Amino acid sequence: MPRTLAVCILLMLPVLLLAVWGFRLSGFGAGALYFVVWWTLLFAVLPFRAAPDGTEVIVPGQDLGAPPRPQMRRKAVWTTLVSDVVFIAAVAAFPLAGL
């Protein structure tokens, strides 16, 4: 888990620095906006590859709708990569909207 967090932070920092220095957002504003984008996209990424393929052993008491291998590390990294793109697009659109 700490390695995944470190990878996500390393992928996120250049984008936040670009928003603060390139687009003149405050550090807190850039971090808050990135968090909202990341959290929203996490719920969009969670269902990908979540369907059980039928080859996994189901543990007694496990919910049948729960994926046998949720692959949260992979989903966290993908969420960060997609969030980088969406965040930069949103920040770049701010001047067009007069914000």
Side-chain angles (χ1 to χ4, degrees):
M1 183 68 171
R3 283 189 314 191
T4 305
L5 182 61
V7 168
C8 289
I9 288 173
L10 287 174
L11 291 171
M12 168 183 64
L13 278 179
V15 174
L16 288 177
L17 292 175
L18 176 65
V20 170
W21 289 335
F23 293 100
R24 299 180 188 225
L25 287 177
S26 69
F28 181 79
L33 180 61
Y34 190 89
F35 175 76
V36 170
V37 169
W38 192 91
W39 195 255
T40 303
L41 289 175
L42 174 66
F43 287 105
V45 170
L46 279 176
F48 295 156
R49 296 184 181 250
D53 57 3
T55 59
E56 299 292 329
V57 176
I58 302 221
V59 178
Q62 176 181 349
D63 186 345
L64 296 177
R69 291 181 296 133
Q71 302 176 356
M72 289 305 294
R73 286 187 178 121
R74 180 177 293 173
K75 290 179 183 182
V77 171
W78 273 106
T79 300
T80 304
L81 292 171
V82 173
S83 295
D84 288 350
V85 173
V86 171
F87 176 75
I88 288 299
V91 170
F94 280 178
L96 299 173
L99 299 173

